[in-house]
Structure formats: structure tokens, C-alpha cells
Amino acid sequence: MKKLINDPMDFVDETIEGILLAWPDHLKRCEGTGRALMRADGPVEGKVSILTGGGSGHIPLFLGYVGPGMLDAVSIGNVFSSPSADDMLAATVTCDGGAGALYIFGNYSGDKMNFALAAEMAEFEDIRVETSIVVDDVASAPVEEMDTRRGVAGMFFAFKIAGARAEQGADLDAVKAAADKAILNTRSMGVALSPCTIPAAGEPTFEIADDEMELGMGVHGEPGIKRTGIMTADEVTEIIIDTLLPDLPFESGSKVAVLVNSLGATPPEELLIMYRRAHALLA
């Protein structure tokens, strides 16, 4: 393992400390926990609060999307592990503006369990909580089983669209409707060229040969559609676009927002080469 870290057991807490020092005018800790952050100007009275959370190791998810027009707070778990219900509750209570809260998070069992528990506990604090679960990864299940799909980069669109609606002053039902509509119309697919290494483990989470890549692999190394030899950027982009388009009723004249997103190891130049091909195909 080659990583610029100190003690692997301090990885998450030192990351939180660093982001608070880097952006002191944008973020602050939530009361009652060291594992939750909120926007520095919160709570915003009369505004629906939008919260997310998840395991560390995904930046900018989940810490990087807290601020005006986006998320009000975030709870943070260990690497690839769900945050606790207590941390999510602390975030919910601290950022409450009196208009209720919307939880937006990916479709993973630990997150679903802990966020559901946090929502139940929030009711005892007289905070109404609604939930929108992101299910954008087409490689994880067919469209007929969309509610079982994983949530990956598509969370960004739900955060941004629901966050903008909340910032406009919409009520909780309207903010949830905006998030759900964004989720329903978002699709993604991932590609893995190499494994990742969890700091506390010190070893790769899976193996992939130097001359191989995996199409459709999940953000934690979950199995994809198939493993192939290395392909060109254009070939990979074509496969992704050809997989995504049939999953929605696209036709000539449809408008789309395109996100070409690194899962952590791909440099911006390579993403731009893929965006170039995606732009040509969609145009």
C-alpha cells in the first residue's frame, strides 16, 4: 500500500479535521458528534434540510456537497461503512430549520438500516423525515428491478436538484418530489481499471490483471457486467452510452446532463477524452 496517511485508524477523523481547516467559512461540526458536518451558516430557519451520509473513501462524496443550494449536513462512516444512526440523528437535529428533513443516499443495506432508524428517532424530536434512495447504476440490475440497483455518481444530481428546490423555499413534499424525479431520470455505469485499497486493510479489495478492465463494477468493488481486455477511451465510452440510452425513453431532441466522473484514480485528462466522445455520440 502506498498512501500519504498517518495511522490508518485515524484516516477518517484526520480527513474531517483537514476539510474543516481548509474550508472554515463553509463547514462546521454538528453538535453531539465528531462524525457529522453541516453548512457553516446553518441551520437555516424555515428551510427543508437535506442530509446524506455514507462511508468514507468516496470524496467528493459525501463531504464535498455541503453548502447553499446543496446539502445541509452529512454524516460520515468509516471507509466503505455506513455512518451510525446516532451520528445521522445528531446531524438531523443540529441542522433542523423547522421545515422537516430529506435524507438522500445510495441503495446500500447498511445505509438504509441506519438512516431508517435515525428517521424514527428524529420523530421523537418532532422532526418529520422523508427519504429518497438513489438507484442509478444500470449494471447492478435490469430496469424492471430498478429499486434494487446501486446508487453511485447519480447522487450528485439528486443533491443539486433537491438542494436548489429547498433553497427556493419549497416544502418537504415538493423537495422530495424533485429528488425522486431526478433519481428516476438518472442512469450511470462504472468501469474499473484497478482495485482500491482500504487503509485499515492495507491490501487491494479485489484483483484485476494489468491487461484487464471490468465493465459495470460497483463503487466498492462489487461485480460488474463482464471483465475484458483493456479497451480505448472511445470504445469504453461507446459501450457505456449504448448501455445507458436504452434504459430511458430517449429520442432525438432530448436534453441530457452528462457527468463523466472519476471513481478515484482516473486523471481529468482521461475523463475529458471520454467526455469528448460522449458529446459526439449524444449530439
Side-chain angles (χ1 to χ4, degrees):
M1 179 175 69
K2 291 183 178 180
K3 290 186 179 292
L4 292 173
I5 61 173
N6 299 306
D7 186 331
M9 303 310 295
D10 295 331
F11 176 80
V12 176
D13 294 314
E14 290 186 347
T15 299
I16 295 171
E17 184 180 349
I19 198 169
L20 285 168
L21 291 169
W23 286 282
D25 297 329
H26 298 273
L27 296 167
K28 63 182 179 182
R29 291 187 190 272
C30 295
E31 295 178 8
T33 173
R35 288 290 186 93
L37 304 180
M38 63 184 290
R39 53 191 283 184
D41 62 345
V44 181
E45 289 301 318
K47 190 186 87 67
V48 172
S49 54
I50 301 178
L51 300 92
T52 193
S56 296
H58 302 302
I59 280 180
L61 283 178
F62 294 86
L63 307 179
Y65 295 119
V66 177
M70 296 285 281
L71 302 169
D72 290 270
V74 56
S75 57
I76 305 140
N78 289 325
V79 177
F80 291 2
S81 298
S82 173
S84 72
D86 288 337
D87 288 340
M88 192 62 176
L89 176 64
T92 306
V93 172
T94 305
C95 76
D96 178 43
L102 176 65
Y103 292 173
I104 304 176
F105 56 90
N107 192 23
Y108 299 96
S109 57
D111 295 335
K112 290 167 67 176
M113 178 180 66
N114 286 335
F115 290 178
L117 180 56
E120 289 181 11
M121 293 189 292
E123 291 182 4
F124 292 102
E125 304 288 342
D126 292 324
I127 301 173
R128 178 188 165 201
V129 176
E130 294 290 340
T131 295
S132 294
I133 300 177
V134 183
V135 287
D136 55 299
D137 182 9
V138 302
S140 53
V143 67
E144 300 82 30
E145 302 170 16
M146 187 173 173
D147 61 346
T148 68
R149 285 177 168 175
R150 303 180 290 238
V152 193
M155 277 185 272
F156 163 79
F157 290 106
F159 294 163
K160 184 69 200 87
I161 291 170
R165 196 75 183 93
E167 207 72 31
Q168 291 173 337
D171 64 19
L172 180 55
D173 291 329
V175 173
K176 174 176 166 55
D180 289 343
K181 185 176 180 180
I183 291 166
L184 186 63
N185 287 282
T186 303
R187 303 290 189 273
S188 74
M189 179 176 169
V191 177
L193 301 178
S194 60
C196 65
T197 299
I198 297 175
E203 300 289 340
T205 54
F206 58 91
E207 293 184 0
I208 187 167
D210 290 341
D211 61 347
E212 289 182 328
M213 61 190 297
E214 183 148 351
L215 301 171
M217 180 170 282
V219 71
H220 307 106
E222 299 96 335
I225 298 173
K226 65 177 179 179
R227 189 165 291 196
T228 72
I230 295 291
M231 292 183 283
T232 68
D234 282 0
E235 289 171 337
V236 173
T237 305
E238 288 162 11
I239 289 174
I240 293 175
I241 295 294
D242 287 346
T243 304
L244 298 183
L245 288 183
D247 217 80
L248 281 169
F250 288 120
E251 57 187 20
S252 179
S254 295
K255 291 185 177 180
V256 296
V258 180
L259 173 69
V260 184
N261 175 70
S262 168
L263 291 178
T266 309
E269 294 90 339
E270 294 174 28
L271 300 179
L272 289 169
I273 290 170
M274 294 185 71
Y275 180 84
R276 156 195 156 275
R277 184 58 183 152
H279 189 283
L281 291 169
L282 293 171

